[in-house]
Amino acid sequence: MADTQLSVTDLQVRFPTDRGVVEALNGVSFDLEKGQMLGIVGESGSGKSVTAKTLMNLLPRTAEIDGEVIFEGEDVRAVARERRKHFWGVKMTMVFQDPMTSLNPVKRCGEQIAETLRYHLGHGRKMALRGATDLLGQVGVPEPAKRVHQYPHELSGGLRQRVVIAMALACEPSLLIADEPTTAVDVTVQKHILDLLDRLRREREMSMILITHDLGVARGRCDDVAVMYAGRIVERSATETLFNESRHPYTDALLRSIPHIDQPSHTRLDPIPGRPPEMINPPVRCAYAPRCRHAREDCLTSIPTMGGVTGVHEFACHHPANTDRGDAALAANVAVGVTPAGLHLTAGAGSE
Amino acid sequence: MTRFMINKVAQLLLVLLAVTFLSFSALNLLGDPLFNVVGPLAELDCDAVEAGLIEDTTTTLNNQVGDCEIVAEARAVYRLDEPVMKRYVLWLGDLISGDLGTSFKNDLPVTEILKDKFPVSIMLMVMAEIVALGLAIPLGIYAAYRANHRADRILSVGSFGVLSIPNFALGVILLYLFALKWQIFPATHDDSSFFAEMKSLSLPAITLGAGLAATYQRLLRTDLLTTLQEDFVHMARAKGMTDSHIMWRHALRPSLFSIITVFGVNTGALIGGSLVVEQIFSIPGVGRELVQAVIRDDFPVVLGGVVVIASGFVVINFVVDLLYSWLDPRVRTT
Ligand SMILES: Nc1ncnc2c1ncn2[C@@H]1O[C@H](COP(=O)(O)OP(=O)(O)OP(=O)(O)O)[C@@H](O)[C@H]1O
Ligand SMILES: [Mg+2]
């Protein structure tokens, strides 16, 4: 196995709120190898952004965090405690969803990129501005010398996201986290941005975590994919394996909700029937059970742990899809027309 | 940008024109302008005096100038025999060249009377703003850092406490404690040197600035809390910047809009407040002079003071407008 760059073990994040404690992450574990691209896919509220923010030390101070994050041999949470400078922004950076709001509206684009260079690398004003111009060129912004003097509102969404990317890449980080980098830009621009990210990470031998709603986006680009549900990773494997041999019924449902799997699409995933799981005081059961066509009695009394082949294809399910055990569970549910959790299986939903 | 500036300046000139016209109208259209200038003398029938029918009721101090001569001079200086619009235009011309007319109560040009009064008042107001901003910016930032913690709550209660004390009450308390009882600051105005003047304006400036500081602090705290939720602040944190760098370099500037707006709008209240504070602390400023001018029915002085103050208010709000566009480049294109 190649060098592990990032290793996340049993990450738990809770937010105390007025309504109760939100259990946002419940034991997230994954490894990322140097130069690899990991896709994190899941419905809204599944904990993708919280995972990214934990890595980036961006959670509010009220958040309770447990678990271990090791990045290039360093304990990231210790770095945060020691308020070490030149770690985030230099080794690990992040690009956010909305380029309209992730740039400071009152500062020129060049200034915002140059700021990173000055702050971390100690460049002088002139040198930093030249660096910013170079970076804009590298991310495919036309006329970079002119753009550095423009304000964010003078640029289109696509260009702004390129500026954000240039900003994130300024100090040549070894890990870039992109949290839904294309949901807020035009469909026509999405592919350009994703291709750019892919090209840059190959050129710079940078690792990347790509967070997305869209399995189609992950397919063409990610080496591995982790599927999240209710604060847990429920299935993780190499991308092609996931597409061809999905085991978790949730992954299965995600795949089926893409109209044409063979053509990478950019449509948002259709919501899967049923309500998203309760994050405050969740009952002890598989969080997906109420929406799952495979659910049996055991799914309602115990939380499935990660099984499968460690490090190759893991999934957390008592009755995995496309296995004998899973098929039997599904057949039994279809026979009575309803799962033990009370989900009615219509004929259409029951047969493939 | 230049187009933007041309628009702004044109706006400024229009407003100034309106302000001067309104002030001029107060003197010339409300009541008899001659009466406004010379007071009861206006009722003297000078034609009759000239014809020798009645005696000149000369009441001036040394009786060297006849009342009818004063009235004639006032008529000439204020061009009372010309039509109103022509008078306005000529008066405006004088105003622009720095001539505010003559006071017929103490026989001095109005500019002469107000000349030394403005610097003191302006210094007082500038010091009040410095006190206000000097307190509000650090405290506002601190409160935003510690939002909803104890320090923030204490500041919030303190702010509302300060806001609930009227200017004059605070002034009297400060005067009593710091000038009379402990004698840390002088009780009378002292302009023997710049430093001495600053020192004697300190209590008045604090009196004027305290309420402003409380207002500014609350506004800044609220705006900062909003700004700190913005994505670009998260982005700055993701770039590895420290909290204080983010606060000063990213969050502060976009959070100044409310303060700036209130700064402009509140200038009027500040001028009003300084009028009271100048009385309490016996500061020889414009406010005091205007109050005295009103008492002695010296309309030209009142008019001169009002025109200058109103124009100052307009100009300050013009500067505030420019500050917006400096703070937020998006304003320039709209
Ligand atoms: N600061 C917070 N306080 C309380 N709850 C939070 C906080 N941040 C996130 N959460 C909760 O944690 C859960 C996971 O949120 P997260 O933002 O990670 O979802 P996501 O997978 O990124 O969804 P999306 O696709 O909508 O971005 C949600 O239920 C959310 O309400
Ligand atoms: Mg998210």
Side-chain angles (χ1 to χ4, degrees):
Chain A
M1 194 181 262
D3 333 338
T4 303
Q5 183 186 38
L6 174 71
S7 169
V8 176
T9 314
D10 199 22
L11 194 62
Q12 312 207 4
V13 173
R14 287 174 296 275
F15 299 104
T17 66
D18 295 340
R19 293 181 300 118
V21 178
V22 178
E23 304 195 4
L25 295 187
N26 302 298
V28 167
S29 304
F30 62 88
D31 288 341
L32 177 63
E33 283 159 27
K34 236 183 165 45
Q36 298 278 87
M37 175 130 125
L38 169 71
I40 298 183
V41 184
E43 275 180 317
S44 195
S46 55
K48 307 181 298 289
S49 296
V50 171
T51 305
K53 285 180 181 167
T54 314
L55 298 181
M56 290 300 302
N57 190 32
L58 292 177
L59 290 180
R61 265 171 279 189
T62 50
E64 296 168 5
I65 309 170
D66 275 311
E68 195 180 51
V69 182
I70 304 290
F71 176 75
E72 297 182 348
E74 287 194 280
D75 181 347
V76 169
R77 297 187 46 215
V79 174
R81 273 196 301 279
E82 294 158 18
R83 296 168 171 269
R84 190 131 27 105
K85 277 189 171 184
H86 311 312
F87 182 86
W88 288 284
V90 180
K91 299 184 170 176
M92 204 196 275
T93 54
M94 182 161 169
V95 172
F96 295 87
Q97 176 172 339
D98 191 350
M100 298 297 170
T101 55
S102 31
L103 290 169
N104 189 333
V106 307
K107 287 182 165 225
R108 292 173 207 277
C109 295
E111 227 177 290
Q112 300 193 45
I113 302 169
E115 181 188 31
T116 321
L117 295 169
R118 297 174 64 188
Y119 189 87
H120 290 300
L121 307 182
H123 286 183
R125 190 178 285 275
K126 269 211 178 119
M127 189 173 168
L129 198 63
R130 218 175 311 131
T133 317
D134 280 353
L135 278 159
L136 282 185
Q138 287 170 39
V139 297
V141 171
E143 303 178 85
K146 182 177 138 204
R147 304 294 182 188
V148 286
H149 296 296
Q150 288 185 317
Y151 287 97
H153 72 273
E154 296 171 283
L155 305 183
S156 67
L159 279 185
R160 275 194 235 188
Q161 193 61 301
R162 283 170 198 263
V163 172
V164 173
I165 291 169
M167 203 153 84
L169 295 183
C171 298
E172 316 220 330
S174 47
L175 170 63
L176 174 70
I177 303 171
D179 190 351
E180 309 200 26
T182 57
T183 27
V185 295
D186 276 343
V187 188
T188 46
V189 183
Q190 288 181 352
K191 190 176 162 359
H192 293 302
I193 298 281
L194 289 166
D195 288 346
L196 170 72
L197 284 171
D198 210 12
R199 193 193 85 216
L200 288 166
R201 67 125 186 160
R202 283 174 206 282
E203 280 173 9
R204 296 168 172 240
E205 295 172 355
M206 179 174 71
S207 322
M208 207 172 133
I209 296 178
L210 178 67
I211 293 174
T212 172
H213 273 98
D214 189 339
L215 267 173
V217 164
R219 184 167 210 181
R221 300 176 174 88
C222 298
D223 300 296
D224 292 329
V225 173
V227 178
M228 283 192 79
Y229 190 79
R232 285 193 170 78
I233 292 182
V234 294
E235 182 159 10
R236 174 159 47 94
S237 73
T239 310
E240 279 314 304
T241 313
L242 191 92
F243 273 83
N244 299 326
E245 302 165 30
S246 61
R247 287 289 179 263
H248 200 286
Y250 176 62
T251 315
D252 228 27
L254 281 184
L255 288 170
R256 265 186 286 113
S257 69
I258 305 178
H260 304 286
I261 295 172
D262 296 336
Q263 303 158 350
S265 80
H266 289 274
T267 46
R268 270 171 86 102
L269 298 180
D270 281 339
I272 294 162
R275 301 204 301 145
E278 192 55 57
M279 306 295 277
I280 297 173
N281 281 325
V284 180
R285 65 172 183 209
C286 172
Y288 187 58
R291 301 164 78 181
C292 180
R293 301 185 309 145
H294 292 242
R296 301 297 295 161
E297 279 79 8
D298 49 353
C299 303
L300 299 177
T301 52
S302 71
I303 300 172
T305 52
M306 271 299 204
V309 187
T310 309
V312 178
H313 187 178
E314 297 170 79
F315 41 88
C317 181
H318 291 313
H319 307 279
N322 310 318
T323 64
D324 292 345
R325 199 177 145 77
D327 290 345
L330 180 59
N333 286 339
V334 170
V336 291
V338 61
T339 69
L343 178 72
H344 289 274
L345 301 178
T346 59
S351 58
E352 300 287 319
Chain B
M1 186 66 207
T2 43
R3 209 196 154 81
F4 172 82
M5 276 304 288
I6 290 170
N7 271 334
K8 285 282 161 213
V9 172
Q11 258 177 39
L12 171 73
L13 292 179
L14 262 174
V15 176
L16 279 177
L17 213 59
V19 163
T20 51
F21 185 73
L22 281 176
S23 310
F24 174 82
S25 308
L27 175 71
N28 288 279
L29 303 179
L30 303 177
D32 174 15
L34 185 63
F35 184 86
N36 285 337
V37 175
V38 297
L41 273 190
E43 270 137 41
L44 185 64
D45 187 349
C46 286
D47 293 337
V49 173
E50 211 165 305
L53 294 176
I54 53 171
E55 282 280 297
D56 191 335
T57 57
T58 301
T59 49
T60 29
L61 292 176
N62 45 21
N63 286 1
Q64 282 173 346
V65 189
D67 280 349
C68 281
E69 284 169 56
I70 295 178
V71 171
E73 193 189 340
R75 280 191 173 281
V77 168
Y78 288 90
R79 306 181 184 93
L80 294 182
D81 301 322
E82 307 282 357
V84 177
M85 273 325 283
K86 187 171 175 193
R87 239 151 64 203
Y88 170 64
V89 173
L90 292 170
W91 172 81
L92 196 60
D94 288 350
L95 183 67
I96 291 166
S97 63
D99 177 2
L100 290 172
T102 307
S103 160
F104 282 84
K105 285 286 149 59
N106 47 16
D107 225 1
L108 280 170
V110 174
T111 30
E112 207 49 47
I113 296 173
L114 294 178
K115 202 174 63 188
D116 333 315
K117 309 295 188 309
F118 271 105
V120 189
S121 293
I122 289 171
M123 188 167 164
L124 171 63
M125 286 188 261
V126 169
M127 279 177 67
E129 289 288 357
I130 290 173
V131 167
L133 291 170
L135 284 173
I137 289 179
L139 289 178
I141 289 178
Y142 184 68
Y145 261 131
R146 314 284 312 155
N148 301 323
H149 285 66
R150 193 152 51 144
D152 178 35
R153 297 231 164 92
I154 293 172
L155 277 171
S156 157
V157 172
S159 294
F160 287 115
V162 169
L163 279 175
S164 63
I165 308 174
N167 262 342
F168 64 86
L170 183 62
V172 170
I173 294 169
L174 290 179
L175 183 69
Y176 173 71
L177 288 181
F178 291 94
L180 302 178
K181 196 156 178 220
W182 297 322
Q183 309 197 340
I184 302 170
F185 290 97
T188 50
H189 189 71
D190 175 3
D191 54 6
S192 53
S193 73
F194 183 72
F195 180 75
E197 185 160 24
M198 245 175 74
K199 193 170 171 192
S200 65
L201 284 179
S202 297
L203 288 182
I206 292 169
T207 307
L208 266 182
L212 267 182
T215 312
Y216 289 168
Q217 191 264 350
R218 288 283 96 189
L219 290 172
L220 181 60
R221 171 194 177 275
T222 310
D223 280 14
L224 271 176
L225 285 181
T226 312
T227 308
L228 289 175
Q229 304 290 320
E230 301 268 358
D231 279 352
F232 67 81
V233 169
H234 287 130
M235 187 73 208
R237 288 183 68 192
K239 285 198 289 181
M241 316 265 145
T242 56
D243 284 353
S244 67
H245 180 99
I246 292 171
M247 186 61 89
W248 290 98
R249 295 303 189 77
H250 286 271
L252 186 59
R253 210 169 113 185
S255 308
L256 290 175
F257 289 95
S258 302
I259 284 197
I260 301 277
T261 307
V262 170
F263 174 89
V265 173
N266 209 60
T267 306
L270 185 68
I271 293 166
S274 73
L275 205 128
V276 175
V277 168
E278 283 177 11
Q279 297 294 321
I280 297 174
F281 290 91
S282 325
I283 299 165
V286 183
R288 224 168 121 81
E289 185 59 41
L290 286 188
V291 170
Q292 283 162 9
V294 168
I295 291 170
R296 65 170 191 256
D297 264 336
D298 200 346
F299 208 98
V301 173
V302 176
L303 175 65
V306 167
V307 166
V308 175
I309 289 173
S311 308
F313 179 80
V314 171
V315 169
I316 283 177
N317 279 283
F318 168 73
V319 172
V320 163
D321 248 18
L322 294 188
L323 274 178
Y324 280 138
S325 71
W326 171 75
L327 280 177
D328 190 347
R330 285 168 295 186
V331 175
R332 281 169 228 167
T333 45
T334 51

